[in-house]
Amino acid sequence: MGTTHHDEASGRSEVDSLSGRLARIRNDIREATRAAGRMNEPELIVVTKFHPASLIRDLHELGERNFGESRHPEARDKVAELEALDGVTWHFIGQIQSKKARQIARYVDVIHSIDRIALVDALAPLADERENPIGAFAQLNLTSDDGRGGTSEDELLQLAEVINESPILTLRGVMAIAPLDESPERAFDRVARASERLETRFPGASERSMGMSGDFQAAIERGATHLRIGTAITGKRPLAT
C-alpha cells in the first residue's frame, strides 16, 4: 500500500519542527555571540545519540555537518549507514573504554573525551591505519567524582603533553561538562582558566568544547568554540535501548 496523506503530513511536520528548533538555536547562538562581543560563532555539534540515522539525514539537508555520538555500536552503525553523506564530521563525545578505543578510532574524526593517558596509549597503534589524525580534546572533570570522566585540573597539562606526542591525535583544546551543583558561569570560568594555561604550553590548543542545550549561552560568553547541543534541536529522545 502507498503512503497515506496522514503519514506524509506527519513526516513533513516532524521535519518542519526540526527545522524550527534548529533555526531558533542558530539564532540564539548568533545573538549570544554578538552579546559576548565575539566575531565568530562557535561550531555547532548536533548531538544525535539515541536518534535514528534518518534524523541525521534531515539535519544534513538543513545544512548541518557536525554530529555528536557517545555510544560505540550505535555510532559505528550510523557512520556506516550514512557514509554517502557529503562533508560530515563525526564527533565522539562519550566516555571510551580502552578496549573499544581502537574500534572507535576507525570511524570518528574528533574525540572530545580523551580523559586519561591509558586511552591515548590504546589509540596509538591505529596511527598507520588512518590517513588523517583524530582531533582530540582533553576532557576536564569539574567535579570531585572520578567516575564522571575527565582529568583533574592539576593533571590536565600532563594529559595534554601525552596527547600532543601521540602519532594518531592532534591536540585541539579542552572539553568539559558543567556540574549540576555549580552555576554554568562559574564552571565555564574554570574551563576558560584551564584553557588559557593549556594554550600557554601548547599554543595551537586554544579550542574549548563546552556548552549544551541548557547552558550554551554562558559557554559562549566564556569563549566556547564548540557547542554540543542535543535535545533543544533534536527534540525528545526515542526510548533508549
Side-chain angles (χ1 to χ4, degrees):
M1 295 177 63
T3 303
T4 67
H5 291 298
H6 174 77
D7 291 337
E8 291 174 353
S10 176
R12 186 70 260 164
S13 176
E14 291 174 4
V15 173
D16 290 343
S17 297
L18 178 65
S19 175
R21 290 191 297 267
L22 178 61
R24 284 193 294 273
I25 290 296
R26 281 289 186 189
N27 184 66
D28 289 347
I29 291 172
R30 187 161 45 250
E31 290 185 353
T33 302
R34 186 183 303 114
R38 297 176 53 182
M39 294 293 294
N40 299 318
E41 294 178 18
E43 187 170 274
L44 173 60
I45 300 165
V46 184
V47 179
T48 49
K49 62 183 179 181
F50 300 127
H51 289 278
S54 59
L55 182 80
I56 298 175
R57 287 196 183 93
D58 291 337
L59 286 161
H60 188 270
E61 289 182 5
L62 293 169
E64 297 308 306
R65 296 294 182 269
N66 290 278
F67 302 106
E69 293 285 334
S70 64
R71 303 195 310 171
H72 162 57
E74 178 186 350
R76 175 199 60 207
D77 293 348
K78 287 180 185 175
V79 172
E81 183 176 346
L82 301 170
E83 184 178 7
L85 290 185
D86 294 332
V88 169
T89 298
W90 293 101
H91 300 256
F92 202 90
I93 61 175
Q95 287 183 263
I96 300 176
Q97 297 177 9
S98 294
K99 64 182 180 180
K100 295 183 179 179
R102 296 180 66 174
Q103 299 174 63
I104 292 169
R106 290 190 170 97
Y107 61 79
V108 298
D109 302 298
V110 185
I111 297 176
H112 292 246
S113 49
I114 302 292
D115 61 356
R116 61 195 186 280
I117 292 172
L119 178 56
V120 179
D121 292 340
L123 290 165
L126 260 74
D128 293 337
E129 296 184 25
R130 287 185 60 97
E131 181 177 348
N132 300 309
I134 299 169
F137 287 84
Q139 182 177 355
L140 180 63
N141 185 354
L142 297 176
T143 76
S144 58
D145 181 1
D146 293 339
R148 294 279 294 182
T151 189
S152 68
E153 294 180 49
D154 291 339
E155 297 178 345
L156 178 64
L157 291 181
Q158 181 184 4
L159 175 61
E161 181 75 47
V162 176
I163 294 172
N164 191 59
E165 294 174 353
S166 171
I168 193 174
L169 301 174
T170 297
L171 180 63
R172 300 266 297 266
V174 63
M175 179 275 237
I177 300 169
L180 296 176
D181 60 353
E182 182 178 12
S183 73
E185 291 79 8
R186 182 175 177 182
F188 294 143
D189 277 338
R190 293 166 59 195
V191 180
R193 290 194 295 271
S195 175
E196 289 167 1
R197 292 196 298 273
L198 186 68
E199 189 177 0
T200 298
R201 177 68 181 84
F202 306 99
S206 60
E207 299 178 20
R208 302 173 187 178
S209 172
M210 59 187 193
M212 301 189 294
S213 290
D215 56 23
F216 66 86
Q217 288 95 339
I220 291 173
E221 291 173 4
R222 286 150 184 83
T225 62
H226 294 70
L227 307 173
R228 309 179 309 274
I229 300 180
T231 54
I233 296 171
T234 61
K236 188 177 180 180
R237 293 175 180 173
L239 292 175
T241 56

